[in-house]
Amino acid sequence: MRGRTASDTASDTVSDTEPVITETEEPADEVSDARRARWIASGTGALLCLAGLAAALLRLTGSAPALVPAAYALGAAVCALAAVLGSRGRTRRALWLLIVGTMVMALGDQFD
């Protein structure tokens, strides 16, 4: 057997003092936050989609210009896309699409 040198014992003490990586509560919290964000994004998208479709149908039967129900339907489609993206974990893109879809519906309301 070979004798141990000072550098061998120094490397042994360094490896003995390395911190042990343990699982903490933070990853579980991050997972639940991500799950909550997905549910909120998909639920809000679905709700805005249904509201946009209902408004489009109501405006279609009335005497509003054709641009008004089209804007509501387009906004509802964008919100439906946001709901799909939100359910797949793309919550940041879903948030922006929810904003854009709501703005399109609000713009359609201004044409009335």
Side-chain angles (χ1 to χ4, degrees):
M1 292 193 70
R2 189 181 100 182
R4 298 188 100 178
T5 62
S7 64
D8 290 339
T9 56
S11 66
D12 286 344
T13 57
V14 170
S15 65
D16 291 340
T17 59
E18 289 180 6
V20 177
I21 299 173
T22 59
E23 188 174 328
T24 62
E25 293 294 323
E26 291 179 17
D29 290 340
E30 291 174 2
V31 169
S32 67
D33 287 345
R35 184 175 294 125
R36 187 178 308 121
R38 284 194 304 270
W39 275 102
I40 289 172
S42 59
T44 305
L47 182 67
L48 285 173
C49 176
L50 290 175
L53 287 177
L57 288 174
L58 285 174
R59 297 298 173 114
L60 189 62
T61 60
S63 63
L67 189 59
V68 175
Y72 277 116
L74 179 65
V78 171
C79 289
L81 178 63
V84 170
L85 286 177
S87 69
R88 293 185 181 188
R90 304 289 186 187
T91 54
R92 189 175 299 151
R93 290 184 181 124
L95 173 66
W96 285 110
L97 283 176
L98 286 173
I99 292 169
V100 168
T102 306
M103 288 176 63
V104 167
M105 286 190 267
L107 183 66
D109 195 37
Q110 294 298 316
F111 292 132
D112 190 20

